[in-house]
Amino acid sequence: MSESTQTVENRSEIVFLYDAVDANPNGNPLSGSNRPRIDPQTQQAIVTDVRLKRYLRDQLDDDGHGVYIRNVQDEGEQYTRAELLEDRLKAVDPDDYDLDDDEEAAQFRDDVFGEYLEESADVRYFGATMSVDTDNAYAKHLPDHFTGPVQFSPGKSIHAVNENEEYDSLTSVIATQEGKEQGGFDLDDHRIQYGLIRFHGLVDEHGAADTNLTRADVERLDTLCWRAIKNQTISRSKVGQEPRLYCRVEYGEESYHLGGLDKDLTLDDEASKDHDELRNIRDLTLDIDDFVDRISNASNQIERIRVVASDVLKVSHGTDSGGPDLLYDALRTAVGADRVDVVDIYDEYPETLPQNTGE
Amino acid sequence: MDQESPNRRAGIPGESDGDLDRCLSFEIRGPWGHFRRVEGNIVKQTYRIIPRTTVAGLIAAMLGIERDGYYDLFGPDVSAIAIEPVEELRTVNMPMNTLSTAASDLTSLNPRGKISIKLPNPTKLRQQHNYEVLVDPAYRIDVALADNEWYEQFRETLAAGKSHYVPSLGLSEYLAEIDYLGEFDIESGPSSGTIGVDSAVPDAMDDVVLDSETRCQIEESPAFMTSDGGGRTTTEYTTYTYNPDAEPLQVRDVQTSRVDDRTVVFV
């Protein structure tokens, strides 16, 4: 087996920050006009894991990877995931397997779901729901769902946000459909003025075997998250969002991770504008002291760190302040320069595309 | 074992193979939590107190025990768990667009074969559901296990800051952090008069001393499970009385235990 197809053996913890300027990073479908989700007590904007995963799935789809959960109604000539699985089911006869034998049971499982998983990158990452209807002899060898080994908590803005009320009347003159001249109504467009959204993710090395998540899949996240926010925030309410910091800490020690690493990145309140005056990334400075300290304390358990930050992100560490290089250098000091790897997104991502395209 | 055994409430017989006279304490917290109420309908409401069955599943996940493989380990005679909310319990609504998993909305594949698999159809319109979720939930858990081997392994797991599968609070995306607080003796606590109890109080709703300054809420949640042919079944429920402000509750004439200078009640 090549390096790239091996199932993941290391746990990873991910911190991902992106910001939203005059955007609605995640509307609440049950509120009037799809208002931004905001914690009523802290006024922090909330972005669900589902929203982030939609960006990632859309980017996987654009890149030519198979994606099971797609929005498209018209599949065209493309083989659907369901058809793919259906073909496998017809080809597999459970009676050909000695299911009391662990290896054969694993082979049975792989023959039913193997190709489906191989063709559905999003299921390898995030899992899928299904129900398996069979007699008990086979049911206990087949999963009734796939739990995703890659999990992101719903994210929140690092600070309180303001809703931008000026957009309220924007849409009254915009036609809702081609050929219709009348404007829509109840299309008020609510956005937040600014929000720096903080996501926390984990890659579970023990859950990885269930969905055949590979090492290459995890490494793909290092460029995928960034490119997904760059490329998939294209609808009217989603423009104005930019990735600001991605950091994946890969642990060497089995079953170990620090946990809650996202919470160690906070606003440096002295070097940032007040929360209600934040309008863009240049108005704030990120305090990385606790983040670097915790990573430094766990340096024995850390195999490597893959990190990239936006060139305009300002950070403060101790008495120093500066750009991304200050963060990179602090991490190098914490765990050793050979274990810190700055991701070059656009140099690296072509390597993560499906092998059979671009030829 | 004397009659005032702290484990009497948990119904632990003296002859069980391991003593339930010491426990492991840890704190679990995270930005979000959701413990779906079994009686809920289209609005996915959450329990405020992490149910005992969820604690069992969490510990099993940390130990790497598979689903449906741990119910005996946390049975009524061989385990004791006390749950204390340590942060104020607060919720927000988290509406979700989800694909329907109702039978009529699933795509059924190969229905005539020996294996038939049904998948939600991603081209269908999404359903809108309101999830009530806990914000920044945090609990202190005290757990005693009669099974010495698993107990020792859990202590080592906690002490090393490890977890086989990644811990979460109810749903896999609600990632959690675990802090190991140590191993403590379980001593007999007061059992008569008015007692301030730090943990949520199981099955004592009639014994709570009400006070206009103290908030007090009640909920019934699953406590014990057993595996059956199709998966698992809840065999017993517990009614917890608790203070949503994470402060002690005053109760009268309840058998309590002392753990780490706190007064708790085990189930």
Side-chain angles (χ1 to χ4, degrees):
Chain A
M1 239 185 219
S2 72
E3 171 102 335
S4 64
T5 56
Q6 275 172 2
T7 303
V8 175
E9 288 178 355
N10 294 71
R11 183 166 298 182
S12 286
E13 185 164 7
I14 296 169
V15 176
F16 183 38
L17 304 184
Y18 64 85
D19 66 358
V21 178
D22 271 334
N24 182 352
N26 191 194
N28 172 352
L30 296 182
S31 72
S33 318
N34 213 27
R35 276 178 178 268
R37 294 166 192 255
I38 292 175
D39 183 322
Q41 188 159 324
T42 63
Q43 298 300 311
Q44 289 166 285
I46 298 168
V47 181
T48 61
D49 56 303
V50 178
R51 175 63 266 180
L52 177 62
K53 287 187 282 198
R54 183 76 264 158
Y55 290 137
L56 297 177
R57 283 190 169 105
D58 288 347
Q59 188 60 45
L60 284 168
D61 199 16
D62 274 8
D63 286 350
H65 295 280
V67 173
Y68 175 61
I69 311 279
R70 277 176 292 187
N71 278 328
V72 285
Q73 300 281 336
D74 182 15
E75 295 282 345
E77 295 299 305
Q78 209 169 6
Y79 219 33
T80 67
R81 304 299 134 204
E83 285 163 352
L84 184 83
L85 185 52
E86 193 165 19
D87 270 9
R88 297 300 302 156
L89 290 176
K90 282 179 182 150
V92 176
D93 184 350
D95 293 335
D96 293 345
Y97 301 82
D98 173 10
L99 294 175
D100 294 329
D101 181 285
D102 282 354
E103 253 177 55
E104 285 206 36
Q107 189 62 49
F108 169 58
R109 197 178 148 274
D110 200 53
D111 286 347
V112 176
F113 289 119
E115 198 173 331
Y116 169 74
L117 289 170
E118 196 170 320
E119 298 294 329
S120 312
D122 60 332
V123 180
R124 294 201 301 278
Y125 287 113
F126 309 127
T129 301
M130 59 185 59
S131 80
V132 177
D133 187 11
T134 165
D135 43 44
N136 276 332
Y138 310 122
K140 66 178 178 186
H141 298 284
L142 295 172
D144 61 358
H145 69 284
F146 290 110
T147 300
V150 178
Q151 294 291 342
F152 287 96
S153 266
K156 256 187 178 184
S157 60
I158 288 188
H159 52 87
V161 301
N162 295 318
E163 264 196 76
N164 192 340
E165 300 293 346
E166 287 171 25
Y167 281 86
D168 271 7
S169 56
L170 184 75
T171 51
S172 61
V173 293
I174 297 174
T176 49
Q177 259 181 301
E178 205 177 335
K180 287 192 179 176
E181 286 167 15
Q182 205 167 25
F185 60 93
D186 195 24
L187 289 174
D188 287 357
D189 193 25
H190 298 279
R191 305 178 183 209
I192 59 170
Q193 289 179 322
Y194 182 75
L196 181 61
I197 318 281
R198 184 173 62 184
F199 269 98
H200 180 230
L202 280 171
V203 181
D204 182 347
E205 80 279 24
H206 291 121
D210 293 341
T211 64
N212 298 346
L213 184 79
T214 67
R215 200 176 161 76
D217 287 331
V218 176
E219 284 169 359
R220 183 178 302 116
L221 288 172
D222 300 341
T223 53
L224 186 75
C225 290
W226 198 274
R227 292 170 57 242
I229 298 300
K230 278 276 189 195
N231 301 339
Q232 304 304 329
T233 53
I234 45 178
S235 67
R236 195 160 53 94
S237 69
K238 298 291 175 269
V239 290
Q241 301 188 82
E242 290 284 338
R244 294 305 179 190
L245 190 156
Y246 172 93
C247 182
R248 178 168 66 86
V249 177
E250 191 173 313
Y251 297 95
E253 200 168 331
E254 194 180 351
S255 297
Y256 180 87
H257 70 274
L258 280 167
L261 207 44
D262 60 315
K263 283 194 293 192
D264 297 309
L265 287 172
T266 52
L267 283 195
D268 182 334
D269 283 328
E270 295 208 343
S272 306
K273 287 188 181 174
D274 289 343
H275 290 183
D276 57 3
E277 288 172 17
L278 296 173
R279 293 295 178 272
N280 67 63
I281 190 70
R282 290 170 179 80
D283 293 338
L284 62 86
T285 296
L286 209 57
D287 181 336
I288 61 168
D289 286 351
D290 293 343
F291 185 73
V292 173
D293 280 354
R294 280 188 81 205
I295 285 174
S296 175
N297 291 337
S299 97
N300 287 340
Q301 282 101 329
I302 291 171
E303 182 120 330
R304 63 173 178 161
I305 295 176
R306 306 221 67 207
V307 60
V308 56
S310 157
D311 59 342
V312 290
L313 179 70
K314 283 181 291 188
V315 301
S316 65
H317 185 224
T319 53
D320 294 338
S321 63
D325 285 334
L326 181 61
L327 169 68
Y328 303 156
D329 286 340
L331 291 173
R332 287 184 187 112
T333 306
V335 299
D338 56 330
R339 283 190 278 169
V340 176
D341 191 6
V342 176
V343 182
D344 185 330
I345 305 282
Y346 293 96
D347 188 43
E348 194 175 303
Y349 93 85
E351 296 288 315
T352 73
L353 298 176
Q355 299 298 313
N356 56 356
T357 60
E359 286 170 14
Chain B
M1 222 176 222
D2 66 86
Q3 295 229 313
E4 290 303 303
S5 159
N7 304 319
R8 196 165 54 93
R9 271 200 80 83
I12 290 132
E15 63 269 21
S16 67
D17 63 333
D19 287 330
L20 295 179
D21 56 2
R22 79 274 193 258
C23 66
L24 299 169
S25 280
F26 64 94
E27 209 170 85
I28 178 165
R29 61 173 65 238
W32 310 101
H34 179 76
F35 313 114
R36 190 183 164 185
R37 294 176 72 105
V38 292
E39 69 273 29
N41 50 16
I42 199 86
V43 176
K44 316 286 189 192
Q45 290 179 293
T46 181
Y47 294 113
R48 266 47 176 183
I49 301 295
I50 182 172
R52 192 190 192 278
T53 50
T54 308
V55 173
L58 168 78
I59 294 171
M62 292 176 71
L63 289 167
I65 307 175
E66 65 195 6
R67 187 188 157 103
D68 297 337
Y70 59 87
Y71 308 139
D72 291 344
L73 181 61
F74 295 94
D77 295 338
V78 292
S79 64
I81 295 175
I83 300 165
E84 176 188 344
V86 293
E87 299 281 356
E88 181 199 349
L89 294 160
R90 175 166 80 88
T91 61
V92 298
N93 286 333
M94 188 93 80
M96 290 285 174
N97 290 334
T98 56
L99 284 169
S100 168
T101 53
S104 58
D105 294 326
L106 295 179
T107 307
S108 191
L109 303 175
N110 203 34
R112 283 184 213 154
K114 289 191 169 169
I115 306 165
S116 152
I117 293 172
K118 291 177 178 166
L119 298 158
N121 182 350
T123 60
K124 291 243 170 153
L125 278 179
R126 265 62 176 169
Q127 293 181 334
Q128 299 190 330
H129 287 290
N130 216 343
Y131 281 75
E132 180 192 48
V133 301
L134 292 156
V135 183
D136 295 323
Y139 307 94
R140 175 170 177 163
I141 313 280
D142 305 303
V143 55
L145 296 175
D147 187 316
N148 237 342
E149 226 167 281
W150 280 120
Y151 180 88
E152 292 299 332
Q153 193 169 331
F154 190 43
R155 183 173 57 187
E156 280 168 30
T157 301
L158 284 169
K162 291 189 175 186
S163 178
H164 184 90
Y165 296 109
V166 302
S168 66
L169 284 155
L171 295 175
S172 49
E173 62 268 32
Y174 294 158
L175 302 170
E177 296 162 62
I178 307 278
D179 267 327
Y180 180 44
L181 301 173
E183 184 177 23
F184 300 96
D185 289 333
I186 301 176
E187 289 158 4
S188 266
S191 60
S192 59
T194 302
I195 315 155
V197 177
D198 296 286
S199 70
V201 190
D203 301 324
M205 52 194 257
D206 294 335
D207 306 319
V208 175
V209 180
L210 295 173
D211 162 12
S212 60
E213 302 291 302
T214 309
R215 289 204 294 160
C216 169
Q217 295 176 355
I218 291 166
E219 70 187 14
E220 185 184 54
S221 59
F224 298 100
M225 290 186 293
T226 186
S227 49
D228 61 18
R232 56 194 185 184
T233 309
T234 301
T235 55
E236 210 180 307
Y237 288 82
T238 297
T239 303
Y240 282 106
T241 311
Y242 62 96
N243 181 340
D245 298 317
E247 298 289 330
L249 269 189
Q250 302 296 319
V251 294
R252 199 184 296 281
D253 300 329
V254 166
Q255 176 62 52
T256 61
S257 300
R258 295 281 295 167
V259 172
D260 188 24
D261 290 330
R262 298 147 55 244
T263 303
V264 300
V265 181
F266 283 95
V267 178

